[in-house]
Amino acid sequence: MSATTDPAPHDFIQRHPILTALALSLGTAIALGVARFSYALLLAPMRADLGWPYLVAGGMNTGNALGYLLGALITPWLMRRYMAHRVLIGGALATALLTFAPGFVTDTAAQLALRVATGITSAFLFVAGGLLVSRLAALHPQRAGLLLGLYYGGTGIGIAVASLTVPAVMQAAAEHGAAHPWQWAWLLLGALALAASVFMSLPARHIPAPAAQASASGSFKPRSLIFGLAGYLFFGLGYIGYMTFVIALLKEQGMAPQRITLFFTLLGVATFASSRIWARMLDRFRGGQSLAILNTLLCVATLIPALTSQAAAVFASGILFGACFLSAVASTTAMVRHNLPQADWPAGISAFTIIFAAGQIVGPTIVGWIADGAGGLQRGLVFSALTLLAGALVAWRQRPLEK
């Protein structure tokens, strides 16, 4: 079915914007919290079981980011042919089904292919959801920052749920004599993603699609937001090192499994709470200030576990990182909303998604390559922190545009 007209907003959408944003946030819980970041919990056991060096282990998330880039390039074409909520729901169901698949294979090439495919479908889900929550924010401008934050903060739901369930499932698998206990975890994650897809689909289909969806990409010129895009490229390059390898680093440093579970759970809770923390800032700043501030805080959070294994400092790092990293993503959607007409929102969101994916492709492989050498994962995280600092400096130069 092609998208030709904008339906009127459903009464539920008008009366319950917070609940609608929470439903949409299950999309980011699937695309990022479950399908991507839960891999941090599985990297160490998969690496030990399958004999991977850090370069290969990091390469799995590079493959996921490559797929995400391909998906981001395809999504605008899909949304010119289909309603955004159809792209959202289709991407969610496909991502859920692909998340089951690693539970049935041990071949490294097959695992990489599945990470690429999951990245493609996650981009369909993520970009379409970003467009829908932007439309929801336009219907409720007084709550725009909060609604955007809730959507992206949904990633924390996925992280927290995975943190609380994956270790228990792997332990149960080991007690039952499973040859590869991590496979049970993938089956669990697939089931969680499938359930979230169902709950998300009902409210999502009632959000009106923007008229630009059925047209070309509008008049958006990427160079008008060049410093914002460059700052976001460095963000993608830098943050992914932490989210890929921090759990493996904590295990190397001897942190107890229960503490690691608590660490990642608190990171997820902080991610969700960030929707409230930064809402006013996202509403206030029209240029790259929000992205610059968040990149700076992420730099600090990433440096901490590279410099110390002291538990209180490491937990502070996780909470600070969780409170900032998805709000950096939300800040770019807010930048698009503040600076571009609605007709250019799809093109603007897609441009930021593509540049984000490009950074994520390079980040895990570089950090993995560094970690295989002298200095290990600590030196890899120092590289990530410096990249985030560069992103802060560049993003600060982005000035608001005249609409």
Side-chain angles (χ1 to χ4, degrees):
M1 177 180 175
S2 297
T4 56
T5 60
D6 272 1
H10 191 275
D11 184 58
F12 181 88
I13 305 301
Q14 296 280 30
R15 295 174 57 189
H16 303 290
I18 302 296
L19 291 178
T20 304
L22 286 171
L24 286 176
S25 76
L26 294 176
T28 60
I30 298 166
L32 299 183
V34 171
R36 180 181 299 167
F37 298 137
S38 62
Y39 174 65
L41 297 165
L42 299 171
L43 183 149
M46 291 181 73
R47 177 175 176 262
D49 184 25
L50 301 176
W52 292 344
Y54 278 122
L55 180 63
V56 171
M60 291 294 159
N61 260 4
T62 289
N64 185 260
L66 174 61
Y68 191 82
L69 174 59
L70 296 173
L73 292 170
I74 297 169
T75 305
W77 174 81
L78 283 176
M79 291 197 299
R80 287 195 292 269
R81 293 178 60 86
Y82 303 101
M83 299 288 284
H85 75 267
R86 294 184 183 275
V87 178
L88 177 82
I89 295 168
L93 293 173
T95 301
L97 295 176
L98 284 167
T99 304
F100 279 108
F104 298 101
V105 298
T106 57
D107 179 72
T108 298
Q111 288 284 345
L112 180 60
L114 288 170
R115 294 301 287 165
V116 173
T118 304
I120 293 172
T121 58
S122 294
F124 298 162
L125 164 59
F126 194 74
V127 178
L131 192 58
L132 288 174
V133 79
S134 294
R135 181 63 168 177
L136 179 67
L139 295 172
H140 303 276
Q142 73 281 6
R143 294 181 173 180
L146 176 60
L147 297 175
L148 292 174
L150 284 172
Y151 172 69
Y152 291 109
T155 302
I157 299 173
I159 292 172
V161 171
S163 301
L164 293 170
T165 56
V166 164
V169 166
M170 284 198 292
Q171 182 178 348
E175 290 171 355
H176 282 78
H180 309 287
W182 51 266
Q183 289 185 318
W184 286 34
W186 282 115
L187 298 178
L188 166 73
L189 293 170
L192 291 172
L194 193 59
S197 300
V198 173
F199 279 102
M200 177 192 66
S201 62
L202 296 177
R205 60 196 178 91
H206 293 307
I207 302 175
Q213 208 174 279
S215 67
S217 59
S219 59
F220 172 61
K221 300 293 188 298
R223 67 184 178 212
S224 64
L225 293 175
I226 189 64
F227 292 113
L229 288 164
Y232 201 42
L233 172 66
F234 284 119
F235 165 75
L237 182 61
Y239 98 95
I240 193 64
Y242 186 98
M243 288 302 293
T244 300
F245 291 108
V246 68
I247 299 298
L249 175 61
L250 298 184
K251 288 184 177 181
E252 281 189 0
Q253 293 175 341
M255 182 175 282
Q258 297 86 349
R259 284 196 170 188
I260 291 176
T261 296
L262 179 60
F263 167 87
F264 214 49
T265 302
L266 290 176
L267 188 154
V269 171
T271 301
F272 185 72
S274 67
S275 60
R276 190 67 180 172
I277 296 170
W278 304 110
R280 288 189 178 181
M281 183 180 75
L282 298 185
D283 285 335
R284 177 184 175 188
F285 292 124
R286 294 181 57 237
Q289 300 97 320
S290 295
L291 181 58
I293 291 167
L294 293 164
N295 268 341
T296 301
L297 294 173
L298 288 166
C299 169
V300 173
T302 302
L303 269 180
I304 292 173
L307 300 177
T308 179
S309 59
Q310 205 275 332
V314 170
F315 272 79
S317 161
I319 292 170
L320 178 60
F321 195 95
C324 296
F325 87 108
L326 259 297
S327 292
V329 180
S331 75
T332 63
T333 302
M335 197 186 305
V336 167
R337 286 189 63 258
H338 285 312
N339 292 284
L340 302 179
Q342 283 198 34
D344 287 343
W345 286 0
I349 291 171
S350 292
F352 275 99
T353 303
I354 290 165
I355 205 74
F356 177 53
Q360 291 181 121
I361 289 171
V362 181
T365 300
I366 292 180
V367 174
W369 174 72
I370 294 172
D372 283 328
L377 286 171
Q378 288 93 335
R379 184 169 292 181
L381 290 188
V382 169
F383 165 80
S384 294
L386 293 175
T387 304
L388 288 162
L389 180 59
L393 295 173
V394 173
W396 190 261
R397 296 193 62 190
Q398 180 63 56
R399 295 291 175 258
L401 306 181
E402 293 295 330
K403 283 191 181 181

